[in-house]
Amino acid sequence: MTSNYRQDSWEKGAQFENYVEHILFPSEYYELLYKTSDFKQNSERYVKASLKPDFQFKCLLTGFVFYVEAKYRTKPYLNEYELLSEQQFESFPSIQENESPVFVAFGYGGLASNPDYVSFFPLQKIINRKLSPELVVIYKIDKGLYPSKELQPFNKALNNERFNNNQEISKDKVEKEFVAPQKAKWKFHNIFYIIAAAVVFSLTVFLLTKPSISSQPIKDKLVKTLSTYYSSSDKSQIERLPNFLSKKNVNWYGQKDMTLGEIITAAKEYNKTYPYRISEVDWNSLIVVEDKKGYYASYTMLFKSKKTEEEQYTTYDLKLLTFWDSNLKLTSITESIQ
């Protein structure tokens, strides 16, 4: 009987894990970096990595890496829900400190494959491993795609995947490896290139309107437009800028409502200082998502610049998140160093 109960418990757990993986964090928006071993594997030979939370995801929009432990309960026992086992309650804080943030997706009621309710807890909010239904419901979320904007408060520099190496992170190390490169990138980054990548990135609208992956023809048009833009940018053909930008003011790098005149002035000044530039887009990384007002596009690229012909190029490995209006004109941008 104990064996059958354990098997049934694992099956329900697997069903809810499937719900978490494909409904809350689908592959269109979250990359699956790690998944724990299943019941069959662990019953034959236990995998030590199974001590980790069930999943590790990476948000495709922000690059934020995090763990998720999936738990399902049909109903409370003695007016309490068990969110974590004793072992998990002891070990997860260390995983969060040394690797990446940990969250608990908790389904309750209904079926494991389609629970009545789902709550989502940051590990630091779980003071006790067992909570009353009244406390569990406080963290209730909508049943569907989990908005990445809700993860932003936990997306700190120390959680950037560049630092997820189990090494001690000091203030000096953060300044040297994260803050300083960001400042250097801003100083040397091709403003002309920034404009070209320009895009309206409204994460809230993106998630609430439930966009869909765009058709291949639109993607092909964006590839052609971006290719032409970067070719013009690298050749300092500033007179071609109006062909790529929205007629409305452009938002980029947190600077709102930049006029075309302001952008052209900045581009001219930059090109005088850094006349040598090379833009290399990884077209295989391009993802295009359709929205009511246009198209979101994300891609990675190598950008190189230098002041004189004799110098060595400074190279930046970048990920861009962009938005194009319905006429395929650029309107705003966010980016991050990979």
Side-chain angles (χ1 to χ4, degrees):
M1 180 176 178
T2 301
S3 177
N4 291 337
Y5 174 79
R6 186 183 179 197
Q7 175 70 32
D8 180 66
S9 178
W10 275 88
E11 288 177 354
K12 288 183 178 179
Q15 291 172 7
F16 184 62
E17 287 173 11
N18 186 67
Y19 179 91
V20 170
E21 179 181 353
H22 298 289
I23 303 300
L24 296 183
F25 302 101
S27 59
E28 293 89 345
Y29 305 101
Y30 295 92
E31 179 183 356
L32 179 61
L33 302 180
Y34 164 82
K35 183 176 181 179
T36 192
S37 301
D38 59 17
F39 173 76
K40 183 177 185 298
Q41 170 65 52
N42 280 327
S43 62
E44 294 174 353
R45 185 173 185 180
Y46 190 75
V47 179
K48 188 174 182 180
S50 295
L51 295 174
K52 292 185 176 183
D54 294 314
F55 303 101
Q56 187 179 48
F57 295 105
K58 177 180 178 180
C59 178
L60 295 178
L61 291 174
T62 65
F64 180 53
V65 175
F66 58 100
Y67 279 108
V68 175
E69 173 67 17
K71 291 286 186 181
Y72 171 79
R73 296 290 183 267
T74 304
K75 57 184 178 180
Y77 177 70
L78 297 179
N79 201 38
E80 287 184 322
Y81 284 115
E82 183 183 57
L83 269 66
L84 297 173
S85 68
E86 292 183 5
Q87 186 177 48
Q88 291 170 335
F89 190 68
E90 294 295 328
S91 64
F92 281 6
S94 177
I95 293 174
Q96 173 157 278
E97 180 179 355
N98 296 316
E99 297 185 42
S100 57
V102 177
F103 299 85
V104 176
F106 186 74
Y108 45 109
L111 302 174
S113 58
N114 185 24
D116 288 338
Y117 308 100
V118 177
S119 290
F120 195 69
F121 299 84
L123 182 65
Q124 56 266 41
K125 297 295 184 180
I126 304 177
I127 301 176
N128 299 306
R129 66 185 191 87
K130 295 182 180 181
L131 297 178
S132 68
E134 291 79 12
L135 291 177
V136 169
V137 76
I138 292 176
Y139 293 90
K140 186 171 72 71
I141 61 174
D142 292 336
K143 293 172 55 180
L145 172 67
Y146 188 73
S148 61
K149 67 175 182 177
E150 300 296 336
L151 297 169
Q152 289 308 299
F154 308 94
N155 191 358
K156 306 298 183 182
L158 294 181
N159 294 329
N160 188 285
E161 60 182 330
R162 297 174 64 226
F163 301 112
N164 288 340
N165 53 13
N166 294 326
Q167 297 180 2
E168 182 178 356
I169 305 298
S170 65
K171 182 177 180 180
D172 291 341
K173 185 177 181 66
V174 173
E175 174 66 28
K176 179 179 179 181
E177 296 192 18
F178 184 77
V179 179
Q182 287 281 14
K183 291 179 179 178
K185 172 183 69 67
W186 176 251
K187 181 178 180 181
F188 296 109
H189 197 284
N190 184 353
I191 293 179
F192 202 12
Y193 146 69
I194 293 173
I195 300 164
V199 265
V200 174
F201 178 61
S202 172
L203 189 55
T204 302
V205 174
F206 174 79
L207 293 168
L208 293 180
T209 53
K210 296 183 179 180
S212 59
I213 300 300
S214 184
S215 61
Q216 188 63 35
I218 292 297
K219 188 173 182 179
D220 292 341
K221 289 181 180 179
L222 282 174
V223 168
K224 183 177 180 180
T225 300
L226 280 168
S227 297
T228 304
Y229 172 80
Y230 285 123
S231 175
S232 301
S233 172
D234 292 343
K235 296 175 183 177
S236 297
Q237 296 174 336
I238 296 179
E239 70 278 2
R240 302 191 67 180
L241 268 177
N243 297 333
F244 304 99
L245 300 180
S246 169
K247 293 182 179 180
K248 297 181 179 180
N249 292 352
V250 174
N251 300 329
W252 53 277
Y253 276 110
Q255 303 296 317
K256 295 184 177 181
D257 296 328
M258 293 286 287
T259 65
L260 178 60
E262 291 171 335
I263 292 172
I264 289 177
T265 298
K268 286 181 177 179
E269 292 178 355
Y270 182 86
N271 290 346
K272 288 180 181 179
T273 306
Y274 301 98
Y276 300 94
R277 299 175 304 280
I278 300 175
S279 303
E280 300 176 352
V281 177
D282 178 5
W283 300 114
N284 291 327
S285 70
L286 178 64
I287 298 175
V288 180
V289 179
E290 186 173 358
D291 178 74
K292 290 182 179 179
K293 296 183 179 180
Y295 304 92
Y296 292 90
S298 67
Y299 52 93
T300 59
M301 69 174 293
L302 293 179
F303 175 72
K304 305 175 183 180
S305 65
K306 62 180 181 179
K307 293 182 178 180
T308 66
E309 188 174 1
E310 294 76 20
E311 288 182 348
Q312 295 293 320
Y313 278 106
T314 300
T315 302
Y316 304 101
D317 188 1
L318 305 171
K319 180 170 184 177
L320 292 103
L321 295 170
T322 64
F323 186 83
W324 307 73
D325 64 21
S326 58
N327 295 316
L328 295 186
K329 300 296 182 180
L330 297 167
T331 56
S332 180
I333 183 172
T334 61
E335 72 164 22
S336 60
I337 295 178
Q338 295 200 97

